[in-house]
Amino acid sequence: MAAIIGVIYFYKYKNTALKYFLLLLWYVTINDIIGMYLREKVTHYNAIIYNIYYVVNFTYLLLLYRAYLSNKKSKVVVLTFTLIYLFSFIVNGFFENYLIEFQRFPYIIAALFLIITVILYFSEVLNSEKVLHAKKNLLFWISVGLLLYYVGNIPFRIIRNYYQDLADATILFLVNLTLGIVMYICFIIGFLWSDKKQQY
């Protein structure tokens, strides 16, 4: 739904770095369909396509914020985050088989880095005139969605990965589903409420 609405309102942000965010939403959709098909029809192992997705997702989002941040130190911090994440992903490949296992440690690192990056973005917005038009800015709503999702998701990700005996699969699924719905609602609000003039 978010991807479809993103297409309808593409004119608002088509000349900005956010135009690739729409591609990311469609990539997520296609990736989930392929992942479900592989798991149910072909093999029980679909980790590889999600591991590739995580690399694309986190790298794009971190670099997106780097493009929008004004503070040079913040830009350097976010670039450093990106490189550390990619390095951790490569190194972790020696410990986990990414063909059949979902990345664990790199995911948590990237999620934490993304949360910090979003906070850096919010800090800049709050300390500038942009705060007056924040609710009309698509990246603001994307940031709200990402922050809510990953702040809520990390604890459950850790429990699922490292404390499986304590994890109730149904509860974890429902929590993750709820967080995902909230995130995509924020994206949709951003597409609907954003003003073309406030996207730069």
Side-chain angles (χ1 to χ4, degrees):
M1 183 63 74
I4 293 170
I5 293 175
V7 170
I8 295 171
Y9 291 96
F10 184 66
Y11 70 92
K12 292 183 179 181
Y13 58 96
K14 66 179 180 180
N15 296 318
T16 73
L18 284 168
K19 63 186 174 184
Y20 301 110
F21 183 71
L22 180 61
L23 291 177
L24 184 69
L25 290 181
W26 282 109
Y27 173 41
V28 171
T29 304
I30 294 168
N31 196 71
D32 281 348
I33 292 170
I34 294 172
M36 188 168 55
Y37 175 78
L38 287 176
R39 187 182 63 198
E40 295 181 1
K41 303 292 185 180
V42 181
T43 176
H44 292 296
Y45 302 114
N46 61 3
I48 182 62
I49 67 167
Y50 284 100
N51 288 328
I52 293 170
Y53 159 71
Y54 291 137
V55 173
V56 173
N57 177 62
F58 285 123
T59 303
Y60 167 73
L61 290 173
L62 288 169
L63 294 178
L64 173 68
Y65 281 102
R66 184 176 182 272
Y68 274 90
L69 289 169
S70 302
N71 185 286
K72 289 183 179 180
K73 289 183 179 179
S74 295
K75 284 179 175 287
V76 171
V77 167
V78 175
L79 181 59
T80 303
F81 283 168
T82 307
L83 295 175
I84 291 173
Y85 164 62
L86 292 174
F87 179 73
S88 73
F89 183 87
I90 293 169
V91 171
N92 202 57
F94 293 101
F95 302 97
E96 291 181 324
N97 184 347
Y98 284 158
L99 295 175
I100 60 174
E101 295 178 273
F102 291 101
Q103 63 170 333
R104 298 177 182 184
F105 187 65
Y107 177 94
I108 294 168
I109 286 178
L112 288 171
F113 284 166
L114 185 58
I115 288 170
I116 296 169
T117 300
V118 170
I119 291 171
L120 289 173
Y121 166 74
F122 280 142
S123 178
E124 279 198 7
V125 170
L126 290 172
N127 291 297
S128 70
E129 293 183 0
K130 292 179 182 178
V131 71
L132 300 174
H133 310 287
K135 69 178 183 179
K136 293 291 186 179
N137 186 280
L138 176 57
L139 186 58
F140 172 82
W141 286 104
I142 290 172
S143 301
V144 171
L146 291 173
L147 190 63
L148 292 174
Y149 179 80
Y150 285 106
V151 166
N153 179 264
I154 289 177
F156 291 97
R157 187 81 181 201
I158 292 172
I159 292 171
R160 189 177 75 181
N161 290 341
Y162 300 105
Y163 303 99
Q164 292 182 359
D165 294 340
L166 301 176
D168 182 316
T170 303
I171 292 174
L172 292 179
F173 172 77
L174 290 175
V175 169
N176 198 57
L177 178 65
T178 302
L179 290 170
I181 290 171
V182 169
M183 178 177 68
Y184 285 111
I185 286 174
C186 289
F187 295 170
I188 290 170
I189 291 172
F191 289 131
L192 295 174
W193 284 8
S194 61
D195 186 337
K196 185 177 180 180
K197 294 183 293 185
Q198 306 302 329
Q199 302 314 311
Y200 299 92

